[in-house]
Amino acid sequence: MSANDPTVTAERHAVDSVRIILGVGGLIAVALGLFVLFAPNSSGKIALVATAMLLSIYALITGLVYLGTAIFSGSLGGWARTGRVLLGLLYVIGGVIMISNLLMTGVVVAVFVSIIIGVLWLFEGILALSMLRKSDNKVWMVIYAVISIIAGLVLMFSPLMGAATLWLLLGISMIVLGVVQVVRAFSVKAA
């Protein structure tokens, strides 16, 4: 095959496109990871507000849909219509409350997620201990269970610290994965 062959040219363009996508994606991940690590308060605030804004918009739209179906549906009975009106009003009121203080909404969501992760880790550790008899490597199972239980309890009883720690770990992982992606961009070769 020659260099002027259309198949080779198309393959080369495809490989170049993959390289560019991997390289740019990796650089963006590194930049965002560095932003998280070196400006955790600013980056966290932006992420919290963006998350809260999306949740607020979701609640408002869902509430309007419930209200609309309650008002315009001819097939709903009295209780179903009343339930949809009440649910729609609750969603709209919740959306308005969330949108009125986006940062606090984001903090509440972050605390909630931290507590949920803590509960999951706690149960995962307890489950690991309960399966100890069936394990071939009891020492590692106990170590895993103890770390999981301690980490779960820490997240449950100090969720803000847990959310901040998880945020920093996300930044570190974005940097590492971004660097790996940039390296992959340089290693992609045509077949």
Side-chain angles (χ1 to χ4, degrees):
M1 287 189 196
S2 69
N4 295 331
D5 184 10
T7 308
V8 172
T9 306
E11 183 179 320
R12 187 170 297 140
H13 287 300
V15 169
D16 289 342
S17 297
V18 168
R19 282 183 172 166
I20 291 169
I21 290 169
L22 286 173
V24 170
L27 291 175
I28 290 171
V30 169
L32 289 174
L34 289 171
F35 181 49
V36 167
L37 281 184
F38 291 112
N41 291 338
S42 299
S43 62
K45 186 176 180 180
I46 291 169
L48 291 175
V49 168
T51 301
M53 179 61 81
L54 290 173
L55 286 173
S56 302
I57 291 169
Y58 168 78
L60 289 171
I61 291 172
T62 302
L64 293 175
V65 167
Y66 271 114
L67 289 172
T69 57
I71 294 168
F72 297 113
S73 177
S75 63
L76 290 176
W79 284 109
R81 188 178 308 273
T82 303
R84 286 180 186 246
V85 166
L86 290 175
L87 194 56
L89 288 174
L90 285 174
Y91 267 112
V92 169
I93 291 168
V96 169
I97 290 171
M98 286 189 291
I99 211 162
S100 67
N101 193 347
L102 291 174
L103 185 58
M104 187 54 65
T105 300
V107 169
V108 168
V109 169
V111 167
F112 178 75
V113 168
S114 285
I115 291 171
I116 292 298
I117 291 172
V119 169
L120 292 172
W121 285 352
L122 177 67
F123 281 118
E124 197 170 339
I126 293 168
L127 179 65
L129 286 176
S130 73
M131 300 188 65
L132 193 57
R133 289 184 192 179
K134 296 179 182 179
S135 175
D136 291 335
N137 198 335
K138 293 183 184 345
V139 172
W140 285 110
M141 184 70 90
V142 169
I143 291 171
Y144 173 79
V146 168
I147 291 172
S148 183
I149 290 170
I150 291 171
L153 290 172
V154 167
L155 276 178
M156 287 170 54
F157 290 111
S158 57
L160 280 176
M161 182 184 78
T165 303
L166 291 173
W167 183 245
L168 291 175
L169 289 173
L170 176 69
I172 292 168
S173 66
M174 288 173 68
I175 293 170
V176 171
L177 293 174
V179 168
V180 169
Q181 197 163 336
V182 169
V183 170
R184 283 182 57 210
F186 287 112
S187 65
V188 171
K189 295 182 180 157

